[in-house]
Amino acid sequence: MSPRASRAATGRAGRLRLRRGLATALRGADLLERKLRLLLDREHTARRAAEEAHRAWDEALADADTWLLRGVLLGGERALARAAPVDRVRVDIRWAALMGVRHPAAVECAAPVRSPAEPTPSNTALAHAETAYRAAVRAAAELAAHQAAADLLAAEAERTRRRVRALRRHWIPRLQAELGAVELALEAAEHEEAVRRRWAAGRTGR
């Protein structure tokens, strides 16, 4: 095999590799863009849920503070101390995954259970305050979960966006340029080979 034939074979193999690489890069960019859209959509949902939880938290906290003040005015601070249950609120986070991103998906709050030996709130205002504070705790937990989910999804979306940008602006154009150069070189080599064959055939015909 002549050096020129060897180069032609290498060129064709290189063209095949570049075509495969370009197809893979284009497919990867499409998949990453789909992932990016899903991440941004879920992040937007988490942001809205966080805003709603924040409003619920503000409202419940203000309501609870109002009832607490009324309860203390009616029964004094000793009534408040006696009404508080010993147990604490239990908060459990359920996690989910989207496109490989693990994030909080739901919150479960278990209110403290008052034992039969523990005193109950001495007046209605303190009972209302207890209920409102439980709602505020739940809203705060949901706010934290939604906010954390949004932040985790946003961080992954930014990483995905950078990968898409690298593919679309750098890697794919470079592969396209290299493939174009290889194809031009192969066309030139094939044209040269065709001219040489015609020239050889003409000499043989004589």
Side-chain angles (χ1 to χ4, degrees):
M1 181 181 292
S2 67
R4 179 171 293 144
S6 176
R7 284 197 298 272
T10 301
R12 293 188 183 96
R15 178 173 61 184
L16 180 60
R17 286 194 298 271
L18 285 169
R19 284 178 176 174
R20 289 175 177 173
L22 179 58
T24 300
L26 289 170
R27 186 166 57 252
D30 290 340
L31 290 173
L32 285 172
E33 286 173 343
R34 177 176 175 271
K35 174 183 178 179
L36 179 59
R37 288 192 295 271
L38 290 172
L39 290 170
L40 292 175
D41 182 66
R42 184 67 64 84
E43 180 202 352
H44 180 65
T45 300
R47 298 284 185 202
R48 287 187 303 176
E51 291 174 0
E52 293 175 3
H54 200 293
R55 285 194 293 270
W57 178 50
D58 285 340
E59 292 173 2
L61 192 57
D63 189 40
D65 287 344
T66 299
W67 284 113
L68 178 63
L69 178 59
R70 292 176 182 175
V72 171
L73 290 175
L74 289 173
E77 293 186 2
R78 290 185 178 180
L80 174 63
R82 290 196 301 269
V86 176
D87 198 7
R88 296 183 179 181
V89 175
R90 176 182 170 183
V91 178
D92 293 321
I93 305 295
R94 181 166 57 83
W95 293 77
L98 175 68
M99 307 299 289
V101 183
R102 191 167 180 266
H103 61 279
V107 172
E108 294 180 0
C109 291
V113 178
R114 183 178 281 105
S115 69
E118 293 181 83
T120 58
S122 60
N123 57 63
T124 305
L126 289 178
H128 283 306
E130 183 177 293
T131 301
Y133 276 122
R134 288 178 180 179
V137 169
R138 180 177 183 82
E142 290 179 347
L143 169 60
H146 292 312
Q147 186 64 56
D151 292 343
L152 290 169
L153 292 164
E156 182 62 22
E158 180 57 30
R159 286 190 289 268
T160 303
R161 186 182 289 108
R162 287 198 296 266
R163 293 174 64 188
V164 171
R165 188 181 302 118
L167 283 171
R168 295 293 189 191
R169 295 185 181 180
H170 304 290
W171 186 245
I172 290 175
R174 191 178 79 177
L175 288 173
Q176 290 172 332
E178 291 179 0
L179 178 59
V182 169
E183 288 179 337
L184 285 175
L186 285 173
E187 288 177 5
E190 290 169 358
H191 177 71
E192 182 182 346
E193 183 66 22
V195 170
R196 187 171 62 255
R197 287 178 179 176
R198 286 197 298 270
W199 180 79
R203 292 192 61 184
T204 303
R206 293 175 188 171

